[in-house]
Amino acid sequence: MSVRDLADYPWDAVVPFRERAAQHPDGIVDLSIGSPVDPTPEVVRRALAEATDAHAYPQTVGTPALREAIVDWYARRRGVPDLTVDNVLPTIGSKEFVALLPTLLGLGAGDIVVHPRVAYPTYEVGARVAGATPLPADDPAEWPEGTRLIWINTPGNPDGRTWTVDELAAAVARARELGAILASDECYAELGWDDAWASEPVPSVLDPRVTGGTRAGLLSVYSLSKQSNLAGYRAAFVAGCRAVIAELLTARKHLGLMPPQPVQHAMAVALGDDAHVAQQKELYRVRRDVLLPALRQAGFRIDGSEAGLYLWATEGRDAWESMGRLADLGILAGPGPFYGGFSGDHVRLSLTAPLERIEAGAARLRAAAL
């Protein structure tokens, strides 16, 4: 298909609800989009300023310092101790990588791209742009012959679903039976909340307990937008199978997909500083602890959401009705139908609003429940 055949950008449908919510006397509480509102850490901003003499073209493969920082970060934070610089590659944010991966892999008509049933829509968009067939399916047993690429998302957007080591290992085994590449979008992995994830990392598809001793056909995708407030920097990377990384590097060189040199330097510094990540996670924890009980008090059930940046909520009614009810309280959410045909009764609420706005929204939800 052509990009001309893509549907209108779905967030345009939210505009009437935004206008409705904005009429609240105390102003809108915008929980619709997960765009960071907190400052970029000073240590990262200084690093960016230090690298502004960027007169030469940047390296598509990444600077040696950045590649080493990615390798070290996977070992320190993700339980993946044996990567080399040949296993990693920086990207210009993670969305462009998600959207382009089927094309960069040469997929097309007759190829199946599996993605989660409740999913970030760019998985499907990327498949369609390449001319491949997107298929929503969570159970590895349902992944069919003809599948060339499988996307999983752990922790998930919008639902916060996480995959255990055993579940990931089963997914890897099935992908290898099919001869498919398995790409795991892990951009929220530092934001674990409930149960085990409060005290240990959400596992990566590259974890040695998962891989069976080989990373063949496996990719882990990560972004610094959430944990480091670098959404405006477009700072992300992919790691995994050396052969696939080499193939992607060649394609990206031809296409000129080069993260800017100052951003590469800032990424390396951000990856080496765990303190600001812990501080940012605590900000999100406080907001979550305010919003979650208020939603429950107002009659919402929270599904999944054990990790990540969102609360995945339902009243057991059509999502657009919930959007309207929330808008009448001055609260703007994200509609579940944007995330596939299996979430028509859910809304997504982001933890990225300032605490003052989160507290205002929680107060309105509690008052509505009385």
Side-chain angles (χ1 to χ4, degrees):
M1 72 176 280
S2 164
V3 292
R4 295 178 181 175
D5 299 321
L6 293 175
D8 291 337
Y9 196 59
W11 285 96
D12 293 344
V14 175
V15 171
F17 297 92
R18 178 181 296 278
E19 294 172 346
R20 190 164 156 187
Q23 296 174 12
H24 192 279
D26 187 37
I28 189 172
V29 176
D30 188 350
L31 308 179
S32 62
I33 298 178
S35 183
V37 297
D38 301 307
T40 299
E42 180 61 27
V43 64
V44 181
R45 289 152 63 186
R46 285 199 308 268
L48 186 73
E50 292 166 1
T52 53
D53 182 12
H55 49 273
Y57 286 111
Q59 296 175 275
T60 305
V61 71
T63 65
L66 175 55
R67 297 165 78 196
E68 289 287 359
I70 296 171
V71 167
D72 291 346
W73 180 83
Y74 266 100
R76 189 176 72 253
R77 303 298 302 175
R78 305 292 285 122
V80 182
D82 56 348
L83 296 179
T84 73
V85 294
D86 292 330
N87 297 114
V88 302
L89 184 64
T91 65
I92 311 168
S94 58
K95 185 171 184 175
E96 65 92 342
F97 184 81
V98 171
L100 287 177
L101 184 58
T103 297
L104 296 179
L105 293 174
L107 305 192
D111 296 326
I112 296 171
V113 177
V114 168
H115 62 80
R117 283 160 52 98
V118 177
Y120 181 58
T122 309
Y123 306 127
E124 178 180 351
V125 169
R128 293 194 181 281
V129 167
T133 301
L135 175 69
D138 291 331
D139 184 350
E142 298 176 355
W143 300 344
E145 296 293 332
T147 298
R148 297 281 307 283
L149 172 63
I150 299 160
W151 279 108
I152 61 175
N153 184 199
T154 174
N157 172 17
D159 59 353
R161 178 196 175 182
T162 55
W163 290 59
T164 65
V165 166
D166 289 345
E167 289 170 333
L168 287 170
V172 168
R174 178 58 178 159
R176 288 175 174 162
E177 287 177 1
L178 296 168
I181 290 172
L182 177 62
S184 179
D185 182 347
E186 301 174 354
C187 292
Y188 301 91
E190 291 273 18
L191 301 176
W193 308 118
D194 294 344
D195 302 326
W197 313 136
S199 57
E200 67 179 77
V202 175
S204 171
V205 75
L206 303 181
D207 189 307
R209 298 171 295 174
V210 171
T211 63
T214 173
R215 287 181 293 270
L218 304 180
L219 297 174
S220 163
V221 182
Y222 207 81
S223 167
L224 300 185
S225 294
K226 283 74 182 177
Q227 70 184 47
S228 299
N229 296 326
L230 297 189
Y233 285 48
R234 311 313 300 133
F237 47 88
V238 58
C241 176
R242 183 179 309 192
V244 177
I245 293 291
E247 179 182 352
L248 295 173
L249 174 59
T250 298
R252 293 176 72 83
K253 284 180 177 178
H254 282 292
L255 294 173
L257 295 172
M258 303 175 286
Q261 181 81 10
V263 172
Q264 293 194 38
H265 179 64
M267 287 174 66
V269 171
L271 286 166
D273 183 77
D274 295 338
H276 78 270
V277 179
Q279 292 167 3
Q280 186 59 49
K281 180 177 180 178
E282 185 59 26
L283 292 178
Y284 288 138
R285 182 191 303 279
V286 170
R287 294 168 187 167
R288 186 177 187 272
D289 288 346
V290 170
L291 183 60
L292 190 152
L295 284 166
R296 286 177 171 158
Q297 189 173 345
F300 286 87
R301 186 184 76 235
I302 309 301
D303 290 336
S305 308
E306 65 264 25
L309 200 56
Y310 310 103
L311 295 176
W312 188 232
T314 180
E315 298 180 277
R317 67 170 77 179
D318 183 83
W320 295 106
E321 294 181 24
S322 294
M323 288 286 293
R325 179 192 173 199
L326 289 167
D328 287 340
L329 298 175
I331 300 170
L332 185 66
F338 284 8
Y339 304 96
F342 301 93
S343 50
D345 61 353
H346 281 74
V347 293
R348 189 193 78 170
L349 298 107
S350 172
L351 303 176
T352 55
L355 179 59
E356 176 272 329
R357 289 288 81 193
I358 296 274
E359 290 175 334
R364 297 173 196 178
L365 288 163
R366 288 193 298 269
L370 296 178

